Amino acid sequence: MKGLFAQWKQARQTRLKLRWAEPELTRGEWQVSAGVAYCPKDGVHPDAYQKRLLRSAGQGPAGRKHGLQAGGAAGTCDTLIARSDWTLLVDRERRWMLRVTDRPGQVDRLLRHAQWLARSYPCPEINQATVKIPGAFAVRESFVDGVPVRDADEEQWDPVYRQLLASCEHHVEHCEGFFDLDRVWSEIRRWSLPGWLRRALDQYETGIEHVLREAPLLECHGDCHNGNVFVRPDGRVVLIDLERVQPLPFFYDALSLLRGTAPVNAALRTNYLRGDYDTEMASLWHSAGREWCPEHRIASLLSMALAHAFRPQFASAASDKRRDKFVGASEKLRQALGVD
């Protein structure tokens, strides 16, 4: 029942955003399914892109009974994705998308992030845009064809990850500052943690010290999960959703794709623990002025989970929130940690 209420509430917010963004929307009968709204080209069925969005959101097509008339005479976007911080409007020809907000600071921040990450990572082209929505600010982002790596063919997972590692190594030259491990230890030793996780910290403390002590910080993408790493039809990688850039340990982006429960995460994590990426890791660590130690592979994963919990966006939060973030991130690595 709680899940149904959450979906109803999300769909309600999506309808409100649909009305707000109406001047940029193509005119027609729109369907709303949780956080996604779309105007089918044939008036009935979502196209392949819209179907993928619905699958990713765990939703099916909305059905005609949920339709509502919306759109402006000059609107060209046939898909709306409602998020807490942005409203995404996708061009019906799949050439570009608009990210729209009522907060101008978000636009300035995203433009800075895009310029910064484009030095090293393959990213969409992002430029400031003008929209017809009253009180709105926006950027126009080139449309990324392809699929997120979680939906890619299994034979693409390994080459995709190696491409990501190569970009991470190139980005490491921009490190500035160092990770404060003492602050982390002083806080987590006060936490009440599940027994298996406390045992993992004790078992891998030496490795965590090696990995995180004075680890160089880097303005990272910060959100390289399996839905933000895209694979184009020609096999090239593109990173989307550039809003989470912040200073994190230099290896954070490189290891983020190993955290998760989807088949792609589990497969890449198995390869990593087997040593398949030791050459790339050694090169990455060397570029940061550090030494890669294969015996600390598991400690490096645990270090990534710690870095996730203590990322700057959680700095002002209560300690309990950082604890919950650490437990949640570690839970996705529990099998790899090898503790009961």
Side-chain angles (χ1 to χ4, degrees):
M1 184 63 69
K2 185 177 180 181
L4 290 175
F5 176 75
Q7 288 184 24
W8 174 86
K9 186 177 180 181
Q10 189 178 27
R12 181 175 179 273
Q13 291 297 319
T14 302
R15 290 188 183 93
L16 291 174
K17 291 195 172 189
L18 194 65
R19 291 305 184 193
W20 176 66
E22 199 162 13
E24 295 292 338
L25 304 178
T26 187
R27 182 172 290 172
E29 185 174 2
W30 283 73
Q31 311 294 325
V32 175
S33 186
V36 177
Y38 58 96
C39 185
K41 289 183 179 179
D42 66 0
V44 180
H45 304 103
D47 66 15
Y49 171 72
Q50 293 163 342
K51 286 179 180 178
R52 181 168 61 75
L53 281 180
L54 293 167
R55 284 198 304 270
S56 295
Q59 303 295 318
R64 296 295 299 274
K65 67 178 180 179
H66 297 289
L68 67 157
Q69 290 294 322
T76 60
C77 297
D78 70 350
T79 305
L80 180 149
I81 306 166
R83 294 185 175 177
S84 59
D85 47 359
W86 293 95
T87 300
L88 279 56
L89 309 176
V90 185
D91 168 53
R92 64 188 170 200
E93 302 299 330
R94 307 296 182 254
R95 298 165 298 179
W96 44 263
M97 64 187 299
L98 294 170
R99 288 181 180 265
V100 188
T101 179
D102 59 1
R103 290 175 282 179
Q106 282 192 196
V107 167
D108 296 337
R109 185 164 56 251
L110 180 56
L111 290 171
R112 289 196 304 271
H113 291 174
Q115 185 178 23
W116 169 256
L117 290 174
R119 297 180 178 190
S120 309
Y121 293 102
C123 303
E125 182 179 349
I126 299 179
N127 296 292
Q128 193 159 1
T130 301
V131 292
K132 306 180 190 73
I133 304 168
F137 305 88
V139 298
R140 179 172 291 191
E141 180 176 320
S142 58
F143 183 81
V144 177
D145 55 342
V147 297
V149 67
R150 67 188 174 208
D151 296 333
D153 293 335
E154 185 174 348
E155 60 267 21
Q156 292 182 294
W157 296 346
D158 177 77
V160 162
Y161 186 52
R162 292 181 190 274
Q163 287 183 61
L164 177 62
L165 292 178
S167 294
C168 291
E169 181 184 349
H170 181 60
H171 196 52
V172 159
E173 67 183 57
H174 303 298
C175 285
E176 185 175 340
F178 299 94
F179 188 77
D180 184 0
L181 184 58
D182 288 332
R183 180 210 163 193
V184 172
W185 282 134
S186 66
E187 186 166 338
I188 65 176
R189 283 173 176 143
R190 299 193 302 268
W191 287 348
S192 174
L193 293 171
W196 65 267
L197 186 50
R198 181 62 70 185
R199 289 190 291 275
L201 284 172
D202 292 341
Q203 181 175 343
Y204 297 109
E205 181 174 350
T206 299
I208 294 170
E209 279 283 338
H210 176 85
V211 174
L212 279 179
R213 176 69 61 185
E214 296 296 308
L217 293 175
L218 177 64
E219 291 275 348
C220 294
H221 178 281
D223 206 19
C224 287
H225 61 68
N226 60 27
N228 283 344
V229 179
F230 260 63
V231 189
R232 286 190 148 153
D234 62 3
R236 289 181 300 146
V237 170
V238 180
L239 298 187
I240 67 166
D241 288 356
L242 314 183
E243 301 97 298
R244 299 285 183 258
V245 174
Q246 56 196 292
L248 292 160
F250 69 94
F251 55 81
Y252 189 85
D253 284 347
L255 298 186
S256 289
L257 204 52
L258 305 180
R259 178 170 58 91
T261 56
V264 61
N265 303 111
L268 292 176
R269 191 163 56 241
T270 296
N271 295 350
Y272 164 85
L273 293 172
R274 192 170 56 211
D276 290 6
Y277 307 119
D278 278 354
T279 299
E280 289 82 358
M281 295 298 170
S283 186
L284 173 65
W285 256 249
H286 177 76
S287 296
R290 309 282 284 187
E291 180 185 4
W292 168 252
C293 296
E295 64 268 28
H296 295 326
R297 291 188 199 112
I298 295 177
S300 296
L301 293 179
L302 200 53
S303 297
M304 183 259 297
L306 280 169
H308 172 74
F310 284 86
R311 55 198 297 160
Q313 73 187 79
F314 304 137
S316 61
S319 182
D320 284 350
K321 180 168 184 176
R322 287 187 287 277
R323 174 201 172 276
D324 291 345
K325 291 292 181 180
F326 176 53
V327 173
S330 300
E331 188 70 56
K332 296 176 181 179
L333 300 167
R334 185 171 179 177
Q335 185 175 1
L337 297 178
V339 292
D340 297 319

